[in-house]
Amino acid sequence: MLRVETILHPTDFSACARAAFAHALRMARHYGATLHVLHAAPSLGEDPIRSAYDFGAGNERVVREMEQVKQRAERMIAAWIEEAGIEGLGTVRAYERGIAPGPVILDYAARHDVDLIVMGTHGRRGVKRLLLGSVAEEVVRQAPCSVLTVRGEQEALAPPPPIERVLVPVDLSVFTEPLFRTAREVAAAYGARIDLLHVVEPLPFPVSLVGGVTLHDLVSDPAAQAAEQLAHLIETADGPAVAVEPHVEEGHAAAAIVERATALGSDLIVIASHGLSGLEGLLLGSVTARV
């Protein structure tokens, strides 16, 4: 069973972060997990292009400004938690500084043994705000745990939109079975169904090798093989009982995944951050970033 005892929600208090907060609340309630709400502030104040000498230890104005930012963030975290009306759910309010928010979030997740990070894909724009778009990608790449990134915006706290279809792209590597188990847990949490997808990429050298033989001649039908492997995975993998439909597509991985998600009306994609690094499988590390 998926272990989710501690959930971290990093926030810059943007509308996108509020949408992610709604999902963090839902997951925390489903698993009975402790919810940490963290504001990671840059150590040079809210204006990262100000000269470093402005922030000397003796600059009382800057110290006062930083304290005001901290107090404002703590008030907003408290207001969000109070608005959520959380009952019987453990919460931790956190405010930390660092050179950049990404490393602060990653360090916090490691120190507190976080099982799941739930954050928005974009943040407030402008020099004085955190750019959570780039921060989210950094966290996805380096986090010691799973990361749920949320698109969209909410100006007021409301239940998150329903998750009815979950797309799970797999490369049929050693990462596939644990990924599929996790996807089944997530789908069960949302009451959703799964579309299990494998993309067969074109062979890189469809040219004659020796005596008119090509790589295509040496490889049996990869789509049929993939379909058999998906069927076996669905039949044998552990996890909650959820509806699963297999799909095999041909094309380039990232584009095919996005096209299939659009065609199916997928509400959520569960994808590995790492995968095979050879011709036999998808390069899911880079594919994930493009998706």
Side-chain angles (χ1 to χ4, degrees):
M1 182 175 179
L2 183 64
R3 173 182 176 270
V4 181
E5 298 177 354
T6 305
I7 295 175
L8 172 61
H9 170 60
T11 181
D12 66 348
F13 308 111
S14 64
C16 186
R18 185 178 281 275
F21 181 60
H23 281 275
L25 282 174
R26 176 166 184 166
M27 297 300 281
R29 286 175 172 138
H30 177 81
Y31 287 103
T34 300
L35 177 60
H36 293 239
V37 182
L38 167 70
H39 179 66
S43 57
L44 297 184
E46 290 204 341
D47 187 347
I49 67 172
R50 290 174 63 176
S51 301
Y53 69 80
D54 285 345
F55 298 91
N59 192 320
E60 294 182 3
R61 180 178 61 82
V62 172
V63 172
R64 185 169 59 253
E65 177 184 297
M66 289 182 175
E67 182 60 27
Q68 291 173 349
V69 170
K70 178 182 178 181
Q71 292 176 358
R72 184 165 62 251
E74 290 175 341
R75 287 196 300 269
M76 293 185 72
I77 291 175
W80 278 31
I81 292 176
E82 181 179 358
E83 182 184 358
I86 300 172
E87 297 179 0
L89 190 66
T91 58
V92 176
R93 309 172 190 181
Y95 173 90
E96 296 196 2
R97 284 191 174 276
I99 296 299
V104 173
I105 294 167
L106 293 165
D107 177 70
Y108 188 96
R111 284 189 287 111
H112 292 85
D113 194 23
V114 169
D115 302 305
L116 176 66
I117 299 173
V118 183
M119 65 189 301
T121 55
H122 300 84
R124 294 184 183 275
R125 296 301 180 184
V127 171
K128 294 185 177 181
R129 302 299 180 190
L130 307 184
L131 303 179
L132 273 189
S134 58
V135 174
E137 182 175 349
E138 180 180 5
V139 171
V140 166
R141 287 182 178 275
Q142 301 182 38
C145 61
S146 296
V147 182
L148 171 61
T149 59
V150 179
R151 295 185 63 177
E153 297 183 350
Q154 286 185 201
E155 295 299 335
L157 183 63
I163 302 294
E164 298 176 346
R165 298 194 75 157
V166 178
L167 180 63
V168 186
V170 295
D171 63 0
L172 299 176
S173 70
V174 294
F175 299 98
T176 291
E177 189 168 339
L179 173 67
F180 185 47
R181 285 199 302 267
T182 298
R184 291 175 74 158
E185 292 276 359
V186 173
Y190 282 103
R193 60 178 297 175
I194 287 177
D195 291 293
L196 187 63
L197 171 67
H198 177 70
V199 180
V200 178
E201 294 206 293
L203 291 173
F205 305 111
V207 296
S208 296
L209 297 177
V210 178
V213 177
T214 71
L215 282 178
H216 285 289
D217 298 319
L218 300 178
V219 178
S220 59
D221 187 350
Q225 289 185 357
E228 290 179 4
Q229 290 177 275
L230 291 182
H232 179 73
L233 176 65
I234 294 170
E235 182 180 348
T236 61
D238 296 330
V242 297
V244 182
E245 181 177 351
H247 304 267
V248 177
E249 298 284 341
E250 296 187 8
H252 294 285
I257 291 168
V258 173
E259 288 172 3
R260 175 52 58 176
T262 302
L264 294 172
S266 302
D267 304 299
L268 178 68
I269 299 175
V270 177
I271 187 170
S273 58
H274 301 83
L276 290 177
S277 57
L279 300 181
E280 295 179 354
L282 309 184
L283 306 177
L284 277 188
S286 57
V287 168
T288 298
R290 291 199 296 273
V291 169

